[in-house]
Amino acid sequence: MDLVVGRIVKSHGVRGEVVVDVRTDDPDSRFADGSRLRGRLPKGGGEREFVVSGARDHGGRMLLRIDGVDDRGAADELRGVLFLIDTAAVDSGDDPDEFYDHELIGVPVTTVGGEPVGELTEILHLPGGDTLVVRTPQGREVLVPFVAEIVPTVTTERIEIDPPDGLLDLE
């Protein structure tokens, strides 16, 4: 399985830099000069290797220079590229409170009272905060804000939620 560590959002300037939405907790090493990145091209375009020739922080995102991308037109063509790593290359280590998304996908979700809610299918990283996507046994999706007040317990074995009134009303 692949883990997305970044996505090219757009070009920046006229010299071929790209703006990357960072999705890793270690951008300095993932996007360091000389790093080789496996990129999935948009719209079924396959995969390609990219080599970073420069990187700098840009307001919570990264600006990257990539070998062979020397002008705005070439940078524009890369919009939507996803930078990937194999999930086997990472794990959350010994900290019981830190997880990678892929370690939680498929984990059963219950209420703090023990009632089954469903299974975690995705974690959305939205500008307003992270959101859990839980698929119920009936096949519906429930969006759960991933905040401590609503999701007090998270392990790789189970996730407990304390939903506010109305969150689980599916009708």
Side-chain angles (χ1 to χ4, degrees), residues 4-144:
V4 176
V5 295
R7 180 178 65 86
I8 296 178
V9 179
K10 61 182 180 175
S11 60
H12 180 81
V14 296
R15 294 190 176 103
E17 282 185 307
V18 293
V19 177
V20 175
D21 181 21
V22 176
R23 298 184 188 172
T24 177
D25 58 353
D26 192 13
D28 292 335
S29 66
R30 294 263 181 237
F31 301 111
D33 287 1
S35 295
R36 296 184 178 281
L37 301 171
R38 183 168 52 102
R40 180 177 300 145
L41 303 172
K43 301 176 186 161
E47 289 189 2
R48 176 178 148 198
E49 183 176 86
F50 297 92
V51 178
V52 177
S53 59
R56 59 190 170 111
D57 184 49
H58 182 67
R61 292 180 169 173
M62 298 283 299
L63 289 181
L64 294 186
R65 291 198 45 81
I66 297 172
D67 283 354
V69 179
D70 299 320
D71 60 35
R72 185 177 191 94
D76 281 337
E77 291 178 18
L78 299 178
R79 180 178 290 198
V81 166
L82 296 175
F83 294 125
L84 309 168
I85 60 171
D86 187 353
T87 55
V90 296
D91 77 41
S92 55
D94 296 329
D95 189 336
D97 294 324
E98 290 190 19
F99 306 97
Y100 285 103
D101 292 4
H102 71 275
E103 294 175 307
L104 298 176
I105 302 302
V107 171
V109 178
T110 63
T111 64
V112 291
E115 297 175 46
V117 176
E119 180 179 284
L120 184 68
T121 59
E122 186 177 2
I123 301 173
L124 302 175
H125 300 282
L126 305 171
D130 295 341
T131 301
L132 303 179
V133 180
V134 179
R135 182 163 310 276
T136 69
Q138 297 79 24
R140 294 182 182 251
E141 286 188 344
V142 177
L143 301 179
V144 180

